[in-house]
Amino acid sequence: MAGDDLITAVIVDDHTAIAAGVRFWCAEAVPPIELIDAGDRLAEVWTGPGASADVVIFDLELVPRRPDFGELRRLVDNGRRVIVYSQHTDDATAMKCVDLGALAYLTKREGPEHLVPAIRAAARGEPYTGPSLSGAIIADDSPDRPRLSQRETEVLRAWFVSSSKDLVAAKLNITVKTVDTYITRVRIKYANAGRAARTKSELVGRALDDGVITLAELNEPVL
């Protein structure tokens, strides 16, 4: 991909209305995103225009009650940049897709305000964390992924994009000591999960791995 103005995405979804809606959102995006509609034909992701698309928007369940995690794994293993766009709202499905290598997991309740940025992020090879995935990450109890509270996550994200803890404290209307307390709690949770993060840079790495924050957010101007 040479730039955002050249992004192409292929959507695999058996619901015509969903594909039509996504096509409209992509056409209205600035700059527009070219969308290739493969319908429910997975083969068109591998042949024709879909084979060279920057991003694959994948409906996980083309066959009712049979989520196709195998095809998701195949896409990821072949270097495709995948956004799972699904009707499933449960945390377990979202986390499994991310663990398999999807760059974003969005439910079909999440519209263009999340799908379009997710497509742009995926085209750059970066993850995107929408509201549903953020909730799933916070609720996840996998032994190697610490279960962070909403406030711990909020403090952590603010610290990563701030130049000092004083600024974090002012932004969140808490004391610097409280900021330190939350960060210490997060460090302890990562250590208990066998993934110690002794420095800020190590903690950033852990957070990126777990989808707590994205590279795009980290690259925004520091406060």
Side-chain angles (χ1 to χ4, degrees):
M1 187 195 68
D4 283 350
D5 57 331
L6 299 174
I7 292 175
T8 59
V10 57
I11 183 168
V12 188
D13 197 303
D14 60 336
H15 295 93
T16 304
I18 294 293
V22 173
R23 179 182 294 281
F24 177 76
W25 298 339
C26 288
E28 292 293 301
V30 181
I33 297 166
E34 180 184 348
L35 187 72
I36 301 160
D37 184 2
D40 61 357
R41 301 175 296 278
L42 277 168
E44 294 191 16
V45 174
W46 303 101
T47 61
S52 59
D54 299 307
V55 179
V56 178
I57 304 169
F58 182 52
D59 180 357
L60 187 66
E61 195 171 288
L62 297 173
V63 178
R65 296 180 296 280
R66 289 181 57 187
D68 199 345
F69 295 110
E71 185 63 26
L72 173 58
R73 182 187 294 277
R74 181 185 173 210
L75 287 163
V76 171
D77 286 350
N78 279 272
R80 303 302 296 271
R81 295 168 173 176
V82 184
I83 296 169
V84 175
Y85 198 45
S86 175
Q87 70 269 30
H88 287 277
T89 59
D90 61 289
D91 294 342
T93 298
M95 293 311 304
K96 183 168 184 176
C97 289
V98 171
D99 288 342
L100 286 172
L103 288 172
Y105 185 94
L106 297 174
T107 70
K108 290 181 179 177
R109 297 176 181 176
E110 293 168 307
E113 69 276 15
H114 293 291
L115 185 56
V116 169
I119 293 170
R120 297 203 191 284
R124 297 189 298 268
E126 299 172 359
Y128 178 87
T129 305
S132 59
L133 181 56
S134 178
I137 290 169
I138 291 167
D140 183 52
D141 59 0
S142 298
D144 66 341
R145 187 182 289 110
R147 185 169 182 172
L148 306 182
S149 71
Q150 182 72 48
R151 192 58 163 169
E152 286 167 351
T153 301
E154 184 180 20
V155 171
L156 198 63
R157 287 164 60 90
W159 184 44
F160 289 158
V161 299
S162 298
S163 57
S164 72
K165 292 177 182 177
D166 290 306
L167 288 173
V168 176
K171 178 181 179 181
L172 300 180
N173 197 29
I174 56 179
T175 66
V176 173
K177 183 177 180 180
T178 301
V179 172
D180 277 325
T181 297
Y182 279 116
I183 293 172
T184 299
R185 287 180 189 173
V186 172
R187 290 191 195 281
I188 291 170
K189 288 184 177 183
Y190 270 104
N192 289 340
R195 299 167 65 205
R198 297 176 182 84
T199 66
K200 185 175 183 177
S201 61
E202 288 177 342
L203 201 52
V204 168
R206 300 287 186 257
L208 284 169
D209 289 343
D210 293 345
V212 175
I213 198 165
T214 68
L215 281 173
E217 292 171 305
L218 288 174
N219 289 332
E220 291 177 358
V222 175
L223 298 177

